[in-house]
Amino acid sequence: MFEVIKSEYGNELGAFEFDYLGGHPSLDVLLINADVKLYEKGLRILTGLSSDSLFVEWSHIKGVICTGNIKTLIHLKTDEGMIKLLREKKTTDVCQFMKLLKTLAPGIKIEYVKS
């Protein structure tokens, strides 16, 4: 019998595909089609090519700016820098991503900007 062990991040609540355009000193590269996973305790960006990843707790995210156009750009303001995520694929559900952000971190200020 297998036992499910909760990860150090808590349960995974959603997975999305974005291009990571940098902005955080711990992961200062560009990643095409990076996995962005939302957990109970925070947000994790996985490189897919190695075991490198970036985890940011919800309490360290100070605000979100979402710019809507053909390719949605999301800026996550953190204690250490601005994380930039770009939606390239139309299959990435940005509305669901933003709903989960609001639910998981209700204290985060979210600003929507049209470009």
Side-chain angles (χ1 to χ4, degrees):
M1 182 182 288
F2 291 101
E3 181 181 345
V4 176
I5 299 174
K6 200 173 191 179
S7 81
E8 63 188 290
Y9 310 119
N11 290 326
E12 181 183 317
L13 303 173
F16 302 87
E17 194 172 287
F18 288 97
D19 289 352
Y20 170 73
L21 304 180
H24 197 279
S26 298
L27 191 59
D28 195 23
V29 295
L30 297 178
L31 300 171
I32 304 301
N33 302 327
D35 287 328
V36 178
K37 296 189 177 189
L38 305 181
Y39 292 90
E40 291 172 323
K41 295 182 181 180
L43 173 137
R44 185 174 181 207
I45 300 171
L46 300 140
T47 65
L49 300 174
S50 68
S51 61
D52 292 338
S53 68
L54 170 65
F55 181 75
V56 181
E57 291 181 24
W58 297 123
S59 62
H60 293 263
I61 298 176
K62 303 305 177 199
V64 178
I65 299 171
C66 183
T67 303
N69 58 14
I70 295 169
K71 296 179 182 179
T72 302
L73 185 61
I74 298 172
H75 290 87
L76 301 169
K77 298 180 208 175
T78 71
D79 293 335
E80 297 183 44
M82 183 79 75
I83 295 172
K84 298 173 200 155
L85 302 173
L86 177 67
R87 180 186 79 168
E88 279 285 343
K89 294 187 175 183
K90 291 183 187 236
T91 55
T92 299
D93 190 346
V94 174
C95 291
Q96 181 64 23
F97 179 81
M98 298 306 285
K99 283 180 188 176
L100 275 171
L101 274 180
K102 286 180 188 178
T103 302
L104 296 169
I108 294 175
K109 180 184 173 191
I110 299 177
E111 182 181 342
Y112 294 94
V113 178
K114 282 192 171 186
S115 63

